[in-house]
Amino acid sequence: MLPSSCIHSILTLSLIGHATALWKGFNLPANNPSGSCKSQEDWAHDFSVMQSLPGRFSSARVYASSDCNTLAAAVPAAIASGTTLLLGVWTEDNAHYEAEKAALVQAIQQHGTSWIIAVSVGSEDLYRGDTDAATLARQINEVRGLLCKLGACGIEVGHVDTWTAWVDPKNEDVIRACDFVGHDGYPYFEGSNIEQGYNDYEKNLKKTRDTVNRVKPGVWVWVTETGWPVSGGMLGSAVASVSNAEAYWKGVACEAFNNAHTFWYTLQDYLSSPSFGVVDANFKPLFDLSCDRLLVGLSTGSLRVYRVNEVIDEAPAHHAPAAEDQRPSSSSKPNAVDLMREEEKFSKHKVEQLAIVKEANLLVSLSNGVVSIHDLQTYQLQETLLKTKGATAFAVTSNIVKDSPTDVPLIVSRLAVAVKRRVILWSWHDSELHPDTSELVLVTGVKTLTWATGTKLIAGLTSTYVLVDVETSVVTDIIGPGSIGGAPGQDGGRFGGVGVSTISYMGLGGVAPKPLATHLGEGEMLLAKDINTLFIDTDGQSLGRRQIPWAVAPEAIGYSYPYLLALQATRGTLEVRNPETLTLLQTISLPSASQLHISQPYISLAHAGKGFLVLSDRCIWRMGALGYDSQINALVDRFRLDEAISLLGMLEDALLMDKEGRLREIKMLKAQTLFDLRRYREALDLFTEVSAPPQRVIQLFPPIIAGPTSSLSKASDNTKDADEYAKELKAAQGEPENSELDEKVSKDFGSIRRSTDGSRAASDDAATTSVAGSQPSDSKPMLEGKDLKAATAELRPFLVSARTRLQRYLNPDGTLRDGQARSNTAASNVQEAQELLLAHVPDSHEERRQQMVETAHLVDTTLFRAYMFASPSLAGPLFRLDNFCDPDVVKEKLIETGRYNDLVDFFYGKGLHQQALELLERFGKQEQRDETASQLAGPQRTVAYLQNLPPEMIDLILRFVSWPLDESPELGMEVFLADSERAETLPRQRVLDFLEKKDRALAVRYLKHIIQELDDRTASFHQRLAEDYIEGLRQQGASGRPAPPGWEEDALNFLRSSYNYQPFKALQMLTADDPNLYEARAIVLSKMGQHRQALDIYVFKMRNPGKAEDYCNQVQLAEISTATAPRQGQRSLATDLEHKTTSIYHTLLSLYLSPPPPHKPQWGPALSILAKHGARMPASSTLDLIPEVLPIKDLESYFRGRIRSANTIVNESRLISSLRSSVAFSEEAKLRLGDGIPSGNGGRNRHVLITEDRVCGVCYKRFGGSAIKVLPK
C-alpha cells in the first residue's frame, strides 16, 4: 500500500515500465578503462555494481573467452555473485578462434554450465566484412557441436551483428545456423536526434525481427548492444550528453528490458570518446537509471510521480495465514515506492484518466471533460484540446506501419476521444503530430473506447457496440447476446437480455451497466456488458464461444498475458480466468477495489507478464506474475491438467524452461488420468500423440500384459473398487472444498498474480483453490475383465507405433543404425530417442544401444502378451517380422496355449533353430496326431524349416534331416535338391559325405543334381560319380539283377560327356572280361585317345557294327570341330586327303578287313563303311587294305562316292567365283555411278576428310602421311 499520509482519493494512474523475467544486463569488456586486464576482483566489483543499480542487473555479456583470460577471471566471480554470462567466441583468425574454443572448454569442464546464458560466435564480423556467411555458419555449428560433446547441447549458440548485416540477404545462412540472433543498433551513429532515436531503434529492431522470422521462424532476436553516449560531441543531428543518454535510457532501455533479452552498452568507459558508460570513474550512476514510474492523478488535480522499487521477497517458507484485517508492516523492508515529485498544478480539476504516447514523449490526461497534452518528462501542459470539451473517455495506441508511397516503416500513434456521440481522432507519425484531425458521429453517446487494431476501434455505446474503422470511417454494428446490443443472436442472453443492474423496481431505476471491452490474444476481443459476454475477432465477427459464467457484472475487465481479468467491485475481488477454457483460476481479495489499470500494449513485444494495477480510493496494488514454470507446477500439483495444458499452449516458448517437454509430460499425466478413469481410447491416443515412453504406458497394465514392468500388483486387501477409484479421480478434477491458504502456498501455486506493494497478499479462497484438486490415493483398482480387454485392444496400436519409431534407430540384430552410431547424433534424433527411453540418452554409443534394445524387448514382449490375451491369431504374424520378444515368455505362453506352429515361427525368427527342430521332430514322429499340433505332423514341416536355414548351419541341417530321409527319402532330399539359393549354396562336400553314409543312391542323386543341374565342374565330384556309376554297373553284373531304369544309360552318358574325371582311374575299375563293362570301357578308352582299342571292343567283343560306326562318327565330328576352320571359299579336295593322317574310319576298316587272329574279316560292315565314308579316307591307303579277292563290282559304291565328292567341290568353287564376280561388279557400279543413288556411297564425289587427329578405325593408328585407300564401306 502507498503510505496513507501521501495519498488522497486516487482516481487515475499510469505505470511506466514493468518487471519481467528476461535477461538484462550490460556489455562488459575484459579491460579496465586504463587498458589493463581485469582481475577476478575487478570482475566481482563490476558484478556487484550492476546488482546495486536500480533494476538489479544480474546478467552480463563478455566479448571473448581467452582474451585477458576473460573466462578464467570472470566465471568464478560470476558464480560467486549469482551473475549469468552471455559468452563470446572471437572468430577473426584460426589461432585466435582455437584459443577461444579451448578457453570455453576449460571453463565448462571446471565450472559446469549453470552460469552460461548462451554463446555468441563472433561479434559484428559481417558488418566489418571480416568473414563470409558460409564460414561463420560453419563456425557456429562447430561451437554447437563442441558444446554437445561437453554434455551441453541445450545451450543456445548464435551470433551478434548490426541490423544492417542481418537484413542483408547474403547473410541468411548465418540466421539459419543460429539459435538466437543478437541485434546491435545505435541511432547515435546513424546521426539521429534523440527524439528520432527512439523511433529509429524500434524500426531497425523490427527490420531485424521481420528478416529473422522470414528466414527462420521462431528464433528470438536479442538486443545485444545499444546505448547513447554521455559525452563525445555531435554526429549529424545526434548529440552526446548526459540528458540525452538518460532520455534514451528511459525511452528505450526501460521498454527493452521488458520485451527482449537486453544487454546495454555499457557499464563504464569514462576514458573513451564517445563514452557510453552509465557510471562514472567512482561507479556512481551518471543519471537516474530507474525505469518503473507510477503516475497518479488525484482528485485534487495534482499529479504524483512515484519510483517503483524492486521488491525482494524475503518471506519465510512457512508461516501462519494473515488475519483478515492484518496488514504487513512497511518498516520491515524497503518501501515499495518512493515519491519522486508532485505536480500540484497539473490540473485545476480532478484527474479522471491518464495515458502515455511514448513515441511522442507525451502524457495525455482527461480532466473536467477536457483532454490535455503534457510533456512526459517535465509534465508541463503543452496543449488543451478544446475540441474535446465534454469528453467522457479516450484511448491511445501505437503501431508500426509502412508508409504507402515510400514503403518506409513508421511509428503511428493515435488518440481517440469520445465526446458525446462523436469520436475525435488525432495521430502522430514518427513523433510528429499529423495536421489532419478526423471526426466521426455515432448513433448514441459513446461510453467507452478500446482499440482493436491500429486502425479499428471498439466503441461502447449506451445500448450497443460498434466497430469503427478510423481510416475508412466505416462503422459496423456488433450483434451480440442480451445487453451486448443489437438483435439477439443464437447465443441469447442468459437472462433474456435484461442485465441485473438494469432492473428497476417500484420506479427506482438502476444504474445502466458500463459497456466493457478488452483485447485478448492475437486477433481476439472480449465484449462484456452486465453479465453477458461476446468473443469477437478484430472484424467484429462473433467467434461462437460460450459466455463467461459471471454471477455478478464486473466493474472492469482486462487482459494481462495470458490471463483474463475481471474486477468484481461489489465483492471486492479480482478474478483471474483462463481465456480459452474460461475456468476460474484464482480469486484475489482486494477490498474496496474499484479500478483496473493495464499498461498500454506498445509496439514492442507486448506480451509476457506485464504487471497491472488495481486501485481503491486509498490503495494501489501492483500485481506481478510469478514464474510461469511455477504456475504450471501449481496446476499440475493440484491435478488441473487441462488448465496446465491450455496455459502452456498460450505461452510463448521462450517464457518457459523446456516448454515442449513440460507439455509432453503433462499430457502424459492427463493420459494416465484418463486411463484410470477407464477412458482407454482417449488415454492411449494421447500417449501416442506425445510419443510417450513405452515403459510408462506398459506399467499401467497388470502383469498378465506388462509382466514384471507392471506397477499393479495382484488384487490385495487395499485395492479399491474401480468405480470408487473413478469417482475419486473425477472429484479430484472438480471444484475442491474451500480452504484458506497461507502466503507461501499462494506464491507457489495459487498466486498467478501476487501483490508486491506491501499490502496483504491475495486471499486465495474457494475460487483460488479451484485450480487444484486433491489427487487420488495411490491405491488403484485392479484392471481385469472387460476393462482389461478394452484397454489391451487400445494398447496394441500404441505398441505398434512404438515399434515403428524404434526401427528408425535399431537394426534387427540390435545394433544402432548408421545415422545413430555416431556420438554427435543430430539433435532431432536425440530428442526422438529421448521420447522412446525413460532415461536421458547417454553419450556412449554402447549405452545408448543397450537402452534401445531393452526398450525394444519390452515393447515387443508386451505386444505379444497383448495379442495372446485378446487376439491370439495375430501373434503369428508378429513372429514373421523382425522382433525383440523375450524367448522365455513367448515359449511359456505358446506352449501353455498349445500354439506350437506359432512357437516354431517364433523360434525361427529369433534364431533358436535347434529348439524349433527338436519340437518339429517330437511332433513329426508321433504316430498318433496331436490335434493341437496337427500342422507339425510328418516330415513336411521339418523339411520346409530346414530349407530356410542358411548354409552356415549345415551341422544342424544334417543332424535333423536324417529322420525325414528315413521316412520319406524323396521329400527329405528336397532339402538339398530344391531350386533355391540356400540349397544351392550348401557345403556340397559335407552333404555328399553325409549322403554316402546314409544311402549311396541318394549320394548319386545329389551328385547328378549338382553336376547336371548346377553345372558343378569339381573334379572330385565328377570322379566320385563316375566311380559310383561304374560300381553300379559291376554290381549289376555280379548280382544278375537289372539296374534301375535308365541307370546304365545315365552312366554311359556321363562317362561320355564329362571331361572332369580321370579316365585312367576309371579304366582300372573296368575289367576287360566283364560284358556289363564293355561299352563303359570303350568310352573311357576313347577319353584316353585309345580309339583302336575302343573300336576293338565294339567290333569283336560287342559285335555291334552300328555302335562302332557311331563311335567313328562322334570322333570325326570332334576332330572337325577342334580343327582350324579353312579360309573362306576354300574346301578340301579329295586329293588333299592323300597327305593327311589315317582317319578313324580307316582304323575301323582295317579292323574289318585285317582283323587280328583268331577273328575273320567282316566284308559286309567293311563295304558299308567304304560306301558311306570312303570319300573321307585317303584313297591309296584305303585301296591297299582291300584284298585282291574282293570283286571290283562290290567297290562300285565306293568309287561313285569319291567321284561325287570331287565334283561337288569343283561345282562349289565355280559357284563362289561367279558370286564374287557379281559382287565386284555391283561395288564398281556404286563407285563409278553412285552419285545420287540411295546407298551409293557418293560415287566419285565421295570424299573423306583426313586431319591430324584422324585415326584408323581398325588399328587406331594415326594416318599421318600414309597412302590411303577408301573402300566402299
Side-chain angles (χ1 to χ4, degrees), residues 288-307:
D288 179 17
L289 296 175
S290 63
C291 282
D292 288 356
R293 286 181 292 164
L294 180 64
L295 307 183
V296 182
L298 305 183
S299 59
T300 61
S302 298
L303 177 72
R304 288 187 177 180
V305 182
Y306 291 91
R307 178 174 58 232

Side-chain angles (χ1 to χ4, degrees), residues 1023-1224:
Q1023 186 66 36
R1024 202 160 181 174
L1025 182 56
E1027 292 174 357
D1028 284 337
Y1029 272 138
I1030 293 172
E1031 185 62 29
L1033 293 174
R1034 290 175 60 184
Q1035 291 180 3
Q1036 175 185 350
S1039 63
R1041 292 179 298 181
W1047 173 272
E1048 182 176 1
E1049 182 179 358
D1050 290 345
L1052 297 178
N1053 287 336
F1054 174 75
L1055 292 173
R1056 186 179 295 113
S1057 60
S1058 176
Y1059 292 90
N1060 295 301
Y1061 66 90
Q1062 298 178 357
F1064 70 91
K1065 288 186 176 181
L1067 186 62
Q1068 293 175 2
M1069 299 178 63
L1070 296 167
T1071 57
D1073 56 352
D1074 188 344
N1076 293 310
L1077 303 179
Y1078 283 162
E1079 188 168 4
R1081 185 176 176 84
I1083 293 172
V1084 172
L1085 287 170
S1086 173
K1087 292 288 185 182
M1088 299 172 67
Q1090 303 296 326
H1091 300 301
R1092 189 174 184 86
Q1093 296 181 32
L1095 289 172
D1096 185 271
I1097 294 174
Y1098 285 119
V1099 173
F1100 301 115
K1101 293 185 177 181
M1102 296 179 64
R1103 297 183 181 276
N1104 192 331
K1107 286 193 175 182
E1109 184 179 354
D1110 290 340
Y1111 178 84
C1112 291
N1113 291 337
Q1114 293 174 4
V1115 173
Q1116 180 68 16
L1117 289 174
E1119 290 178 352
I1120 292 174
S1121 62
T1122 57
T1124 303
R1127 288 178 296 176
Q1128 184 179 5
Q1130 290 187 344
R1131 180 166 178 167
S1132 298
L1133 298 176
T1135 55
D1136 294 336
L1137 298 175
E1138 303 295 332
H1139 306 288
K1140 291 188 177 181
T1141 57
T1142 304
S1143 70
I1144 188 64
Y1145 297 105
H1146 191 277
T1147 303
L1148 178 58
L1149 183 62
S1150 65
L1151 289 176
Y1152 282 143
L1153 297 178
S1154 303
H1159 302 291
K1160 296 180 180 180
Q1162 300 181 29
W1163 307 111
L1167 292 175
S1168 177
I1169 291 297
L1170 286 171
K1172 294 178 180 179
H1173 307 289
R1176 295 189 176 95
M1177 295 182 288
S1180 58
S1181 57
T1182 301
L1183 293 175
D1184 289 342
L1185 292 175
I1186 298 174
E1188 297 179 356
V1189 297
L1190 186 64
I1192 296 299
K1193 183 179 179 180
D1194 293 339
L1195 296 175
E1196 180 181 357
S1197 58
Y1198 166 68
F1199 291 117
R1200 286 183 180 276
R1202 288 196 61 90
I1203 294 170
R1204 187 180 299 112
S1205 176
N1207 289 337
T1208 299
I1209 292 173
V1210 172
N1211 291 335
E1212 287 181 359
S1213 300
R1214 292 174 179 173
L1215 181 59
I1216 290 173
S1217 178
S1218 299
L1219 290 173
R1220 284 182 173 174
S1221 299
S1222 176
V1223 170

Side-chain angles (χ1 to χ4, degrees), residues 258-281:
N258 295 299
N259 295 321
H261 304 309
T262 304
F263 298 87
W264 198 257
Y265 186 84
T266 179
L267 181 65
Q268 184 192 61
D269 65 345
Y270 58 87
L271 294 180
S272 301
S273 182
S275 173
F276 284 79
V278 299
V279 298
D280 60 16

Side-chain angles (χ1 to χ4, degrees), residues 612-644:
F612 63 93
L613 301 172
V614 183
L615 65 153
S616 65
D617 55 354
R618 294 193 59 80
C619 182
I620 298 175
W621 290 270
R622 181 190 180 201
M623 314 303 291
L626 289 175
Y628 291 112
D629 289 290
S630 299
Q631 298 179 34
I632 298 299
N633 291 338
L635 292 172
V636 174
D637 291 342
R638 295 292 175 169
F639 227 55
R640 302 303 299 271
L641 304 180
D642 284 327
E643 296 302 325

Side-chain angles (χ1 to χ4, degrees), residues 776-1061:
S777 60
D778 293 335
S779 176
K780 296 182 179 181
M782 192 64 185
L783 194 60
E784 55 189 2
K786 292 189 296 182
D787 285 337
L788 180 56
K789 281 187 174 292
T792 304
E794 302 301 334
L795 174 66
R796 292 189 317 223
F798 170 81
L799 294 176
V800 171
S801 174
R803 290 189 82 246
T804 303
R805 299 198 309 270
L806 281 164
Q807 288 171 359
R808 301 175 190 170
Y809 301 96
L810 278 180
N811 290 313
D813 60 355
T815 59
L816 287 178
R817 294 191 184 275
D818 293 340
Q820 303 302 317
R822 298 183 296 272
S823 59
N824 58 339
T825 311
S828 60
N829 292 336
V830 169
Q831 180 180 358
E832 190 164 359
Q834 288 173 338
E835 294 175 354
L836 292 170
L837 302 172
L838 290 177
H840 176 71
V841 178
D843 293 330
S844 167
H845 166 70
E846 179 57 28
E847 290 180 2
R848 187 163 66 250
R849 185 199 66 81
Q850 184 176 355
Q851 289 195 29
M852 286 287 191
V853 171
E854 290 174 358
T855 304
H857 277 299
L858 176 63
V859 169
D860 285 356
T861 304
T862 306
L863 182 58
F864 163 73
R865 290 194 182 102
Y867 281 143
M868 291 303 297
F869 177 76
S871 303
S873 61
L874 297 178
L878 175 64
F879 305 144
R880 299 183 186 99
L881 303 174
D882 294 322
N883 64 82
F884 291 88
C885 293
D886 188 333
D888 294 334
V889 173
V890 174
K891 180 178 179 181
E892 177 185 356
K893 199 70 177 177
L894 292 179
I895 290 178
E896 177 185 332
T897 56
R899 302 186 69 84
Y900 297 104
N901 193 49
D902 288 340
L903 182 57
V904 170
D905 289 338
F906 173 72
F907 281 149
Y908 178 82
K910 302 301 291 183
L912 303 174
H913 303 301
Q914 181 171 339
Q915 297 185 40
L917 290 168
E918 288 173 351
L919 184 67
L920 289 171
E921 183 177 8
R922 177 160 65 90
F923 286 103
K925 286 184 175 181
Q926 286 182 351
E927 295 182 2
Q928 296 182 351
R929 284 195 173 187
D930 189 338
E931 293 300 327
T932 61
S934 59
Q935 294 178 334
L936 307 184
Q940 292 86 352
R941 191 73 167 82
T942 299
V943 169
Y945 193 99
L946 292 172
Q947 287 177 326
N948 287 296
L949 293 182
E952 297 80 23
M953 310 197 71
I954 185 63
D955 292 330
L956 201 63
I957 294 173
L958 297 181
R959 173 183 169 186
F960 285 96
V961 79
S962 182
W963 75 269
L965 286 173
D966 293 338
E967 291 204 6
S968 177
E970 187 70 23
L971 181 61
M973 283 300 293
E974 285 299 312
V975 175
F976 310 115
L977 306 182
D979 185 14
S980 67
E981 182 180 356
R982 291 192 170 181
E984 294 175 4
T985 55
L986 290 173
R988 294 171 183 175
Q989 189 64 49
R990 293 284 306 280
V991 174
L992 186 58
D993 293 341
F994 170 77
L995 293 176
E996 283 282 5
K997 297 176 182 178
K998 193 75 176 173
D999 188 339
R1000 186 174 63 85
L1002 297 178
V1004 171
R1005 183 178 177 188
Y1006 182 70
L1007 282 170
K1008 290 171 60 178
H1009 172 73
I1010 62 176
I1011 291 173
Q1012 297 174 5
E1013 300 293 335
L1014 306 182
D1015 196 25
D1016 192 321
R1017 300 185 182 184
T1018 304
S1020 61
F1021 292 160
H1022 283 254
Q1023 186 66 36
R1024 202 160 181 174
L1025 182 56
E1027 292 174 357
D1028 284 337
Y1029 272 138
I1030 293 172
E1031 185 62 29
L1033 293 174
R1034 290 175 60 184
Q1035 291 180 3
Q1036 175 185 350
S1039 63
R1041 292 179 298 181
W1047 173 272
E1048 182 176 1
E1049 182 179 358
D1050 290 345
L1052 297 178
N1053 287 336
F1054 174 75
L1055 292 173
R1056 186 179 295 113
S1057 60
S1058 176
Y1059 292 90
N1060 295 301
Y1061 66 90

Side-chain angles (χ1 to χ4, degrees), residues 523-696:
E524 290 188 13
M525 299 283 296
L526 172 65
L527 308 182
K529 189 174 183 182
D530 196 358
I531 59 172
N532 296 293
T533 57
L534 177 66
F535 291 92
I536 63 172
D537 59 20
T538 53
D539 292 326
Q541 300 299 314
S542 173
L543 297 177
R545 297 176 56 186
R546 65 186 180 91
Q547 296 196 48
I548 300 175
W550 282 323
V552 179
E555 181 70 21
I557 61 173
Y559 177 75
S560 183
Y561 180 87
Y563 299 104
L564 172 63
L565 308 174
L567 183 62
Q568 301 282 0
T570 56
R571 295 183 175 183
T573 59
L574 176 70
E575 290 185 355
V576 182
R577 292 182 182 270
N578 183 327
E580 287 187 352
T581 64
L582 306 185
T583 303
L584 179 62
L585 301 178
Q586 185 178 6
T587 299
I588 302 174
S589 177
L590 300 173
S592 303
S594 58
Q595 293 188 38
L596 179 65
H597 176 82
I598 299 174
S599 300
Q600 176 71 22
Y602 292 109
I603 55 178
S604 304
L605 292 178
H607 72 74
K610 286 189 172 182
F612 63 93
L613 301 172
V614 183
L615 65 153
S616 65
D617 55 354
R618 294 193 59 80
C619 182
I620 298 175
W621 290 270
R622 181 190 180 201
M623 314 303 291
L626 289 175
Y628 291 112
D629 289 290
S630 299
Q631 298 179 34
I632 298 299
N633 291 338
L635 292 172
V636 174
D637 291 342
R638 295 292 175 169
F639 227 55
R640 302 303 299 271
L641 304 180
D642 284 327
E643 296 302 325
I645 292 171
S646 176
L647 178 58
L648 281 166
M650 291 187 290
L651 294 174
E652 296 181 12
D653 294 355
L655 301 178
L656 295 160
M657 295 294 292
D658 186 20
K659 174 181 174 179
E660 292 300 323
R662 294 295 305 278
L663 182 60
R664 177 173 177 262
E665 176 64 26
I666 295 172
K667 284 187 175 181
M668 286 192 287
L669 288 174
K670 178 182 177 181
Q672 186 169 339
T673 304
L674 292 171
F675 187 90
D676 294 336
L677 289 169
R678 296 183 287 186
R679 294 160 64 179
Y680 304 118
R681 173 167 296 183
E682 297 175 59
L684 271 299
D685 286 347
L686 192 53
F687 276 130
T688 302
E689 174 190 331
V690 300
S691 300
Q695 182 177 353
R696 181 163 182 170

Side-chain angles (χ1 to χ4, degrees), residues 39-66:
S39 64
Q40 181 174 333
E41 291 73 19
D42 293 329
W43 284 107
H45 185 261
D46 283 354
F47 297 151
S48 176
V49 170
M50 284 175 17
Q51 294 178 3
S52 68
L53 297 176
R56 306 182 189 277
F57 300 96
S58 59
S59 299
R61 175 186 173 220
V62 295
Y63 302 107
S65 296
S66 62

